[in-house]
Amino acid sequence: MEASPTSLKRLKFGKLKVVRRSLLQRYEHQPFISCLAGFYSCRWKRYQRERTEPGKCCCSMRECMFFPLLVAAFCFSLVFLYTWGEGKNDYNSFDWYNYGNLGFWFLWSLVILIVAAVLFAYISLLLVLAMCLLAEGQQLYLHWSHKIGTFLVLGFSISSLFALSILWRDHGKTVRLSFQVTAPYLHIGAIAIMVLLAWPVALHAIRADKKVTQVIIVGPYVAILLFLFLIPLGMYSPCIREMGTLGPKPALIGHRGAPMLAPENTEMSFMKTIEHGGDGLETDVTISYDGVPFLMHDDTLRRTTNIQEVYPNDTGKAASFFSWDALQKLNAGTWFLKNKPFVGMGSLSKADQNQAMNQSIYTLSSFLRLADSHNKLVIFDLYRPPEKHPYRNLWLRKVLDVILNESKIKRHLVLWLHNSVRSFVQSVAPGFQHTMGRKAPIEDLLKHNIVKLNLVYTDMSSEDIRKYAEANITTNFYVVNEPWLYSLAWCSGAHSVTTNAVHLLKDLSQPLFLMTPQQYNIMWILTDLTSAFLISLIFVLHWWREKTFSCCAQDSNLMIENGTYNKFKTELSDMPAVLA
């Protein structure tokens, strides 16, 4: 039976589409798939690869074991990278901890951050390649070298998270605090990932030949998507607030001065804080063997002086067992130029370098006179001398004598933190602002005339801050270095913060991530609507493409039955210019 002209025309058009698609796949699309499979599987040749049949598993049974491991490695490496990245506020404390155990200074925190970023980038690339291969209907085969790499990333991330949970338990509180400011933006990122995942999910769901398989593929995806759509209903951030309800900017107290600009606890460091507009100065006080209170944070002089050069046999000796004459011979600045103790420290000017090299240990008397002359608040930790020290039982009286008689600082500038013999201190120095280093019931604080709380920043709570403020008790949080953490303290209503970065935080004109509830609702709704539209569009596109291909396949079968397909394919192979 001969075909009609209309039928023949339709067959010719169908053949043209089939052959053109075959040629385009060969000459345009195959290099892309070759690159994907080459980097993921080291299978660069076309004959080495296999396509996934509709409704079939995307890989062999053995490979099915490794793909979940790849996803797990991505998730754990992402969690660790975020956790460690948000811990930047405490990198100096981490490096100081390692210095105490290892005996030498090194920026271990920066090394860990770089390693975590590189491993996450590597595992993310593998996962992106896998998603692209799935989207192209290719079977997955992870090369053995990448399998080893996946195990390494997974092992590193899990062991690092476990070590953090054991050695640095407060770090979990830091991460939870970070969610209060980053959660709205993490939500957008999670939605964006779900949009990208819609492509392979839609492809395999529509190609599946069984309803059960489609439900297994689409069900969990839709459940997670709905959860992400609704999670902002339970989200809380003090930085999402109505206009006009933001409190004043927290005052800045220099932690040991400005230790990112100058050697800590030196005159230069405190002057840098004053020059950058700091409102107060924080330090640590110990007493020399002959009764001179001086500024030193560590138990020994090894980290912040050149004691190894001057007194090489006494590097492990307690700082308080040196006389003041011996302490004056030490340099307290050269270590700063050598070790560069903070991540991201800028280079010092030549004048600042020369000044830092000539810093010496600072006395409490000089520190108080400097603060008094610039009308700055002072707060300090007092360290009791060890046993067999001649001033072990007289140290508080010696400190009070320096405050009240030698320096004669204005009493309202002193934030008295030490808790022992507080009643005695209140009787001899009634003008001090008494400060407590822990949370306590308001009744107890008022009973002891406490006017300020000095709390570690992980204890930050906007509800507690408001409760204490109603009783005229202000709050100071330490040590706050990162802009996001300072922004959170600002939004929560903190009165002041102790910081290493006065020069950075002073330039913030408003908190980061600050927005009104109306602005956040608009951002939330637009994100959900846009993502829902894009995901729907992707599913419709795959449905349309599969339906179209199915029709073309039927046309090609019909042409083969009429014996015309090979003839036209030969003709078209001789006419490349026409196809071009």
Side-chain angles (χ1 to χ4, degrees), residues 250-317:
L252 298 172
I253 298 176
H255 182 238
R256 307 175 204 166
M260 296 181 72
L261 303 176
E264 66 180 56
N265 282 334
T266 61
E267 181 181 13
M268 178 183 177
S269 186
F270 298 121
M271 284 302 301
K272 287 292 183 182
T273 300
I274 295 170
E275 290 171 7
H276 285 89
D279 302 285
L281 305 172
E282 186 272 349
T283 190
D284 313 275
V285 180
T286 189
I287 296 181
S288 68
Y289 197 75
D290 50 354
V292 178
F294 66 98
L295 311 186
M296 183 60 58
H297 174 268
D298 298 4
D299 293 334
T300 69
L301 302 167
R302 186 175 56 179
R303 181 175 66 92
T304 57
T305 70
N306 63 337
I307 189 173
Q308 292 181 337
E309 301 173 8
V310 182
Y311 307 114
N313 296 326
D314 296 325
T315 55
K317 186 177 177 181

Side-chain angles (χ1 to χ4, degrees), residues 184 187-188 191 228-230 232-233 515 517-533:
H187 172 249
I188 294 176
I191 292 292
L228 292 176
F229 280 168
L230 299 177
L233 293 174
M515 67 180 77
Q518 294 77 16
Q519 290 172 330
Y520 177 62
N521 288 335
I522 292 173
M523 183 178 73
W524 168 30
I525 294 172
L526 283 179
T527 300
D528 286 1
L529 290 178
T530 303
S531 60
F533 171 76

Side-chain angles (χ1 to χ4, degrees), residues 114-136:
I114 293 174
V115 171
V118 170
L119 293 181
F120 173 73
Y122 166 71
I123 212 70
S124 299
L125 178 60
L126 288 182
L127 193 60
V128 168
L129 291 173
M131 292 294 105
C132 291
L133 287 170
L134 289 176
E136 294 297 331

Side-chain angles (χ1 to χ4, degrees), residues 82-93:
Y82 178 84
T83 301
W84 190 253
E86 290 302 309
K88 185 181 176 184
N89 188 82
D90 299 319
Y91 280 1
N92 183 255
S93 299

Side-chain angles (χ1 to χ4, degrees), residues 504-554:
L504 298 178
L505 302 184
K506 71 180 180 65
D507 294 329
L508 284 181
S509 58
Q510 70 172 29
L512 304 177
F513 315 109
L514 180 66
M515 67 180 77
T516 65
Q518 294 77 16
Q519 290 172 330
Y520 177 62
N521 288 335
I522 292 173
M523 183 178 73
W524 168 30
I525 294 172
L526 283 179
T527 300
D528 286 1
L529 290 178
T530 303
S531 60
F533 171 76
L534 292 176
I535 292 171
S536 301
L537 186 63
I538 290 172
F539 272 82
V540 170
L541 176 63
H542 278 293
W543 173 82
W544 174 82
R545 192 176 77 164
E546 292 300 316
K547 182 179 179 182
T548 304
F549 284 2
S550 176
C551 293
C552 292
Q554 293 175 3

Side-chain angles (χ1 to χ4, degrees), residues 287 382 384-385 391-399 418:
I287 296 181
L382 299 176
R384 186 180 184 183
Y391 286 89
R392 177 170 172 79
N393 297 321
L394 301 172
W395 62 295
L396 274 178
R397 292 183 180 273
K398 190 63 179 177
V399 169
H418 197 74

